[in-house]
Amino acid sequence: VNPEFGYRATIKGKVKALGDGSNSAAGPPTLTDIQVLDESVGCDGAPTIPPLCKAEAAVLAAPTSASVPDESAPSDELMVGDEVCITGYVMDNYCIYSTGDPGVLLDDQSVTTLENPELHSFYCLLDVGVCYKSGFQVLGEKNPDTGLHCPGFELDDTDAVLKVARALGKKGKCTTCTGEEDVNPEFGYRATIKGKVKALGDGSNSAAGPPTLTDIQVLDESVGCDGAPTIPPLCKAEAATKDCSKE
């Protein structure tokens, strides 16, 4: 009964990187902390459908010579040049990617950055050179399964963020902040960001992972978006790649 061809197994693990979707070893997501089990073990619930299998299924609906595409039909696939609007916490890349795995706040290392961005001080975000010089991103919403905010969009204009955030932040420990009212915040900078997609990102756990926005507007969070806010691709990917070990 020992086979000579076609090795099959049940694999359980956690998603380490999302992959770039290319026709190469870098294309599929990568799993870590894996268990390699006999195929008869199976999954406790429904097995995880790989993202690239979903993508292949989606292209089966591509137009043929016998069909005419509906160009008016909206697509939820983000493309370079698309306009984006999102309201969320603005975070520096250093505190997300360079202070550990998972990253912690540089000025309060008991706090996991993507778990509690509301505790991130304006001082750390706007005064500390290693933080603001690393660039900024606006985060997506918190994933209820992981308890972490998903990476959102990289912002290609650091000066625009600094100008608006420093005018909002309360003057004091944040020495570059100029707000003098009691209502001016000291922690958890949130903003509405509007811009255009400049690059799609590679899906990795780094500043190169999320899409990058250009021509950005940094607005008060109360402005919001005219319609539904844009859901960052990495937030969608986290929802789609619920791994087998959690079933």
Side-chain angles (χ1 to χ4, degrees):
V1 295
N2 294 105
E4 295 183 84
F5 300 94
Y7 177 49
R8 290 175 55 87
T10 295
I11 304 293
K12 297 184 178 184
K14 295 180 180 179
V15 177
K16 178 181 180 181
L18 294 175
D20 61 13
S22 64
N23 185 30
S24 71
T30 299
L31 298 185
T32 189
D33 297 337
I34 66 168
Q35 301 175 57
V36 183
L37 307 170
D38 189 86
E39 70 167 314
S40 64
V41 173
C43 298
D44 298 329
T48 307
I49 301 174
L52 295 186
C53 294
K54 294 181 179 179
E56 287 182 358
V59 301
L60 291 177
T64 66
S65 57
S67 63
V68 177
D70 180 5
E71 295 182 356
S72 66
S75 171
D76 61 0
E77 284 291 322
L78 197 72
M79 305 290 288
V80 171
D82 283 356
E83 293 187 354
V84 164
C85 179
I86 182 173
T87 300
Y89 288 101
V90 177
M91 184 65 63
D92 62 272
N93 287 317
Y94 187 86
C95 283
I96 299 174
Y97 302 115
S98 300
T99 54
D101 186 13
V104 295
L105 300 182
L106 182 62
D107 63 340
D108 187 350
Q109 297 188 12
S110 66
V111 177
T112 299
T113 302
L114 296 182
E115 183 177 8
N116 295 114
E118 71 276 8
L119 301 179
H120 192 215
S121 70
F122 276 59
Y123 160 74
C124 185
L125 183 73
L126 306 173
D127 274 6
V128 180
V130 71
C131 291
Y132 71 76
K133 291 178 182 178
S134 69
F136 297 114
Q137 71 169 265
V138 58
L139 302 179
E141 294 298 318
K142 181 176 282 191
N143 183 329
D145 293 326
T146 65
L148 303 176
H149 287 260
C150 52
F153 295 95
E154 287 290 321
L155 308 177
D156 79 344
D157 192 342
T158 295
D159 289 340
V161 176
L162 291 174
K163 180 180 178 180
V164 176
R166 286 171 172 171
L168 176 67
K170 187 174 183 179
K171 186 177 181 179
K173 186 175 181 181
C174 176
T175 61
T176 57
C177 293
T178 58
E180 296 183 346
E181 303 293 331
D182 288 341
V183 295
N184 289 107
E186 296 181 88
F187 298 91
Y189 177 46
R190 287 177 59 85
T192 294
I193 304 293
K194 296 182 179 183
K196 293 182 179 180
V197 178
K198 178 181 180 180
L200 294 177
D202 62 13
S204 62
N205 184 31
S206 72
T212 299
L213 300 184
T214 191
D215 297 336
I216 66 168
Q217 301 176 58
V218 183
L219 308 169
D220 189 87
E221 71 165 314
S222 64
V223 173
C225 300
D226 297 331
T230 308
I231 300 174
L234 294 185
C235 296
K236 294 181 180 180
E238 284 185 0
T241 54
K242 187 177 180 182
D243 63 83
C244 184
S245 66
K246 294 180 181 178
E247 296 291 348

